[in-house]
Amino acid sequence: MSLPTASEEDLVRRLKARDESALTLFYDRYASALFGVISRIVKDDDTAEDVLQEALVKIWNAFPAYDAEKGRLFTWVLNICRNLAIDKIRSRQYRVGTRTQGLDDSLAAQRMPAAETFRPEHIGLQEVVQTLVPEQRQIIDLLYFGGYTQSEVAEELKLPLGTVKTRARTAIKLLGKLIR
């Protein structure tokens, strides 16, 4: 997606002058490449379109801060798009949305045979977790059954991150002994 230097300089000049037609030209030149990068990160075309739209608004609003001497236009906008895509997949809303599925998807999954990697010994794991002390059980429930990160658990329970890590490690050791 390399542009002649003069064309890029002209585009930058027009965007800095807040020329809205330059934004259309910018979109025509870069949108497909930016969409490709975003979709490789978020792995969903609808979400990638949303992130691209958010990125374009951010680029337009932040354009006065762009400095051509620090890097090429494409590199600057690519970093904005990549960072927004990473922020999106790290967001709690995105993670919760990817863990849930529609009713139609759920019914189809029930009709499918079990995967070869299905391990029946995992059935009953939640019952084994119930034997832990409440502080450890709460952390394991959030981490493994709730899909939280250790930092999110620390924030949710208002505990230091080190405490969460220690309790999780201790609980996993105890579970390992109980399951064997």
Side-chain angles (χ1 to χ4, degrees):
M1 291 272 53
S2 178
L3 294 173
T5 307
S7 296
E8 187 171 298
E9 288 172 1
D10 182 52
L11 183 60
V12 168
R13 181 187 52 74
R14 290 175 58 195
L15 286 168
K16 283 197 178 238
R18 311 306 283 166
D19 180 355
E20 291 182 15
S21 65
L23 189 58
T24 302
L25 178 63
F26 171 85
Y27 181 85
D28 291 342
R29 288 187 181 175
Y30 296 117
S32 62
L34 297 174
F35 179 80
V37 170
I38 294 168
S39 64
R40 277 194 298 265
I41 295 170
V42 299
K43 309 221 183 322
D44 174 61
D45 286 349
D46 291 336
T47 304
E49 288 173 7
D50 291 343
V51 171
L52 179 59
Q53 182 177 1
E54 184 181 341
L56 291 172
V57 170
K58 185 170 186 169
I59 289 164
W60 177 254
N61 290 333
F63 207 83
Y66 170 68
D67 183 358
E69 292 181 16
K70 290 184 179 178
R72 297 204 44 209
L73 175 62
F74 183 73
T75 307
W76 184 70
V77 298
L78 181 66
N79 283 329
I80 290 172
C81 291
R82 185 179 50 81
N83 290 341
L84 284 173
I86 291 168
D87 289 348
K88 180 59 124 180
I89 63 172
R90 287 180 178 168
S91 73
R92 174 177 242 138
Q93 177 188 8
Y94 179 82
R95 287 194 322 265
V96 169
T98 57
R99 283 196 309 251
T100 60
Q101 52 182 257
L103 185 57
D104 292 338
D105 295 338
S106 177
L107 293 174
Q110 290 176 7
R111 293 185 199 107
M112 293 174 47
E116 291 180 28
T117 57
F118 176 72
R119 299 188 45 194
E121 63 270 17
H122 289 181
I123 296 174
L125 187 58
Q126 282 187 307
E127 289 77 18
V128 176
V129 169
Q130 296 303 316
T131 63
L132 296 171
V133 296
E135 295 84 16
Q136 294 170 341
R137 183 175 55 240
Q138 185 179 32
I139 288 173
I140 294 297
D141 283 341
L142 291 172
L143 285 173
Y144 294 98
F145 302 118
Y148 285 59
T149 65
Q150 289 180 334
S151 298
E152 290 170 339
V153 170
E155 186 178 312
E156 179 79 18
L157 300 178
K158 297 181 181 24
L159 293 171
L161 181 59
T163 301
V164 170
K165 289 181 177 189
T166 300
R167 288 181 185 173
R169 186 173 39 254
T170 305
I172 290 170
K173 285 181 182 177
L174 287 172
L175 288 173
K177 289 178 184 176
L178 291 171
I179 292 173
R180 289 187 191 130

